[in-house]
Amino acid sequence: MAGRTAPPYGDGDGALLRRAPGEWLPLPGGATLRLLAQETPRLWRAHLDRDVLSYLAAHGVPIRYGYVGRDWPLADYQTVFGIEPGSAEMPSAGRPFTPELVTALVARGIGVAPITLHTGVASPEKDEPPYPEWFSVSPRTARLVNITREHGGRVIAVGTTVVRALETAALGTSAPGTVRAASGWTSHVVTPAGGVRAVDGLVTGLHEPRSSHLMMLSAITGTGVLARSYEAAIEEGYLWHEFGDSHLIL
């Protein structure tokens, strides 16, 4: 099938599941996307025949979940913490934070430490493991985390990807609960069996059943509290995923 022209890119949810390496897809603006290899059951590695970032800026649209009724501008997917481009999806736990809220937290003595992370496709299905994500914990942030824990403070992550980054940075450290400066791709999965070392809680959204996100949440708060909180969220009609509701787990 090498070199065969694929049908238009919008032919249904399972379109890419029926492809083969070497096929190419015509895209808006006269661009061509050639499929190279299937990375997961739903994700492909591909080559675009022009600069990716400028093309996405002109023709790309954010990943949108089914319950969001219409497309929103890319600016609505940015968080107050976002500086470097690289995420495939919005790190949605940070979306409720505004400059005014962050300023108020700092004024009350709550430190805010930056972490660079490029959120991957955050909707694994059918028990798929989470995909590798790129992260960077700077020496300054590692030092702030360690000082906070040394003085009896709590480290609260904003989002599951932040937990993943900090827990990766805590692997291999000599003292329990400390983190080191680290960067790169992480495949670390936080589970109840492994527990958490670096964080004491997190702000996060609501996640689908059997996802690795729920395993992470269970590692922090236990399955009993988590089950009761999700029962309450369902009863109250809370929203999942992007633009959804957030909650604080301690």
Side-chain angles (χ1 to χ4, degrees):
M1 294 185 182
R4 179 167 65 86
T5 303
Y9 53 90
D11 62 343
D13 293 340
L16 286 177
L17 300 182
R18 300 188 296 272
R19 306 304 188 199
E23 293 189 41
W24 59 274
L25 284 69
L27 298 181
T32 297
L33 186 75
R34 185 175 299 276
L35 300 179
L36 301 179
Q38 194 167 9
E39 293 290 310
T40 75
R42 297 187 301 143
L43 294 180
W44 283 77
R45 185 177 297 276
H47 175 76
L48 186 68
D49 66 350
R50 57 200 64 192
D51 180 70
V52 174
L53 292 181
S54 59
Y55 180 80
L56 290 177
H59 299 283
V61 294
I63 294 173
R64 175 163 62 87
Y65 286 95
Y67 78 85
V68 179
R70 66 177 180 87
D71 288 334
W72 289 86
L74 185 61
D76 288 344
Y77 287 78
Q78 304 304 312
T79 73
V80 69
F81 305 110
I83 297 176
E84 298 184 21
S87 291
E89 289 191 10
M90 172 177 60
S92 53
R95 192 173 184 274
F97 288 80
T98 63
E100 294 77 16
L101 177 57
V102 173
T103 300
L105 291 173
V106 172
R108 296 182 62 177
I110 299 173
V112 178
I115 289 178
T116 299
L117 53 91
H118 295 328
T119 304
V121 179
S123 57
E125 295 179 351
K126 300 177 182 178
D127 301 317
E128 295 174 355
Y131 312 126
E133 294 173 306
W134 194 92
F135 77 100
S136 177
V137 176
S138 69
R140 177 179 178 273
T141 292
R143 185 166 59 253
L144 286 173
V145 169
N146 294 336
I147 290 174
T148 297
R149 297 189 68 88
E150 287 173 6
H151 290 81
R154 293 187 292 187
V155 177
I156 309 299
V158 179
T160 56
T161 45
V162 174
V163 176
R164 196 181 194 192
L166 287 176
E167 291 300 318
T168 301
L171 296 175
T173 55
S174 57
T178 61
V179 302
R180 56 184 173 82
S183 64
W185 291 89
T186 177
S187 297
H188 181 59
V189 179
V190 179
T191 66
V196 290
R197 296 164 53 94
V199 303
D200 301 290
L202 79 157
V203 177
T204 186
L206 296 162
H207 306 285
E208 56 276 296
R210 301 202 315 273
S211 69
S212 62
H213 299 87
L214 289 186
M215 288 195 299
M216 177 187 293
L217 270 55
S218 296
I220 295 172
T221 190
T223 56
V225 172
L226 188 63
R228 291 194 296 274
S229 67
Y230 269 69
E231 289 171 0
I234 293 172
E235 291 175 359
E236 296 297 329
Y238 288 4
L239 295 179
W240 265 237
H241 299 303
E242 60 184 3
F243 304 127
D245 294 289
S246 297
H247 60 301
L248 171 63
I249 295 178
L250 297 175

